[in-house]
Amino acid sequence: MWTHRRPRGRDERTAPRDTTYGFLSLDEGAYFRSQVREAFAERGLEVTIHATEVSDSAGRHFALTDLAAVCHHDAGGRGRWPRVIRDHVDRVLRVADGPSPLDTLPHEELLTRLRPWVVTPDVLTPDAATPMAHTHARVVAPGLCEVLALDLPESVMPLTDEALSSLGDLVDLRRRALANLRALPLETHSILHGPDGIRFHVLTGESFFTSSRALTADQLTRDLTGHDLTSAGALVSIPNRYTLALSPITPATPLLPTLHGMTAFTTANHTHAVGPVTPDVYWWHHGVLTRLIHHHTGEPHLTRPAEFDLLLMRLTDDDAGERP
């Protein structure tokens, strides 16, 4: 129910694997990198291939991991990779070589494009040139942080502290960014069902901020179901930036089976995904995300915060009280 078919024209899983991208065979990895090198060369750039990125003579670095995953998932198979890669290279070079939106867009449009972006801390790892670029980023849960970013037509631009200072007061900017996130239109909504009464909502789309809507699980629940969250909150996961899973908790929710079902879904849609975020599952409760499933050494482990244990006991008691 929660797995994907291998795209046509792909090597079998029994073929020797690429050492960096295990979802590619050794031969596919070599072909992928050769096409990346050719695509940059056709645009006048000689690049050095590294494990997960390329660099050019100007010291610019271009990540490859998402592009490799896009090729891996392309239904057209390996024959489409050259076009996919060249389209991607054209896009990143347009962004890299073009003027900064901070210099070209009106102030009000910049504020309209402002969003809170939920990412893993490694996305914001500073380089030597900008060691303190994102001190405004805040931890929203173990393994997740929020940075303010611009939602641009072809990219997302995480804003540095310096850029934010030119836009206004940080508290006001965060408030505006969150309101913008809440106002985003709904994308593709589906409901997944499983054994033992498992049922949860899945939101998917093309926005880089689809998964960031975990911050607004209360509003998202109203948008998806027409009902408010109960005081028990919701189970939430964000396996990749284009996917969010949500299960509002009600007295009828089989909580542990749903948690296990969402864990399986999240793991399946995190591994080898484009824009992976986290395989973990969280509890959204009064605006706070608490991690319930933590993947340690590749295996999911259930954490049992005291407040969540109390919720489990209350739901169990309510369920027992309703039985004849």
Side-chain angles (χ1 to χ4, degrees), residues 23-310:
F23 49 81
L24 300 180
S25 72
L26 194 62
D27 183 57
E28 287 171 340
Y31 179 70
F32 168 74
R33 292 178 180 85
S34 72
Q35 289 300 309
V36 168
R37 188 188 299 276
E38 285 183 22
F40 277 100
E42 289 166 3
R43 287 144 185 84
L45 288 176
E46 293 299 322
V47 294
T48 301
I49 304 285
H50 306 284
T52 59
E53 64 181 16
V54 299
S55 60
D56 66 8
S57 58
R60 299 182 300 182
H61 295 261
F62 304 97
L64 295 180
T65 300
D66 280 358
L67 178 58
V70 168
C71 289
H72 167 65
H73 289 291
D74 193 285
R78 190 154 138 176
R80 268 185 43 84
W81 290 11
R83 173 46 50 201
V84 170
I85 291 168
R86 281 155 179 78
D87 287 347
H88 175 84
V89 170
D90 283 340
R91 186 163 54 252
V92 299
L93 290 179
R94 277 197 302 270
V95 172
D97 295 336
S100 170
L102 295 170
D103 297 328
T104 59
L105 295 181
H107 182 263
E108 185 55 35
E109 183 172 350
L110 291 172
L111 295 182
T112 300
R113 292 184 175 277
L114 195 62
R115 314 269 190 270
W117 194 26
V118 177
V119 295
T120 52
D122 61 284
V123 173
L124 301 177
T125 299
D127 57 35
T130 56
M132 302 293 286
H134 302 100
T135 62
H136 75 275
R138 67 185 187 96
V139 175
V140 296
L144 297 175
C145 63
E146 171 209 294
V147 63
L148 297 184
L150 294 179
D151 187 2
L152 301 170
E154 291 191 309
S155 65
V156 167
M157 181 181 178
L159 293 172
T160 63
D161 297 343
E162 181 181 2
L164 286 170
S165 68
S166 68
L167 291 180
D169 176 74
L170 181 58
V171 173
D172 291 339
L173 292 174
R174 271 213 172 96
R175 189 180 298 116
R176 178 67 179 265
L178 195 61
N180 291 341
L181 184 68
R182 290 181 180 275
L184 290 177
L186 288 181
E187 299 170 282
T188 302
H189 172 218
S190 58
I191 301 175
L192 295 188
H193 298 263
D196 303 317
I198 295 172
R199 181 180 184 272
F200 56 90
H201 300 265
V202 175
L203 187 69
T204 58
E206 298 182 358
S207 169
F208 272 58
F209 297 90
T210 299
S211 64
S212 297
R213 297 176 77 147
L215 297 174
T216 61
D218 51 349
Q219 164 119 29
L220 188 57
T221 296
R222 285 193 294 272
D223 292 342
L224 295 180
T225 70
H227 301 287
D228 288 334
L229 272 182
T230 70
S231 60
L235 301 178
V236 179
S237 71
I238 50 176
N240 60 72
R241 63 176 173 246
Y242 305 112
T243 304
L244 180 150
L246 171 76
S247 176
I249 300 172
T250 71
T253 302
L255 197 51
L256 287 181
T258 300
L259 182 58
H260 294 151
M262 286 182 64
T263 299
F265 169 86
T266 305
T267 302
N269 287 275
H270 173 265
T271 306
H272 306 159
V274 179
V277 181
T278 176
D280 296 340
V281 182
Y282 298 82
W283 178 31
W284 192 98
H285 190 230
H286 299 309
V288 177
L289 286 169
T290 301
R291 185 165 60 188
L292 298 177
I293 297 293
H294 177 212
H295 280 70
H296 180 63
T297 65
E299 296 296 325
H301 296 274
L302 173 63
T303 63
R304 299 287 289 263
E307 198 171 1
F308 187 72
D309 264 344
L310 289 174

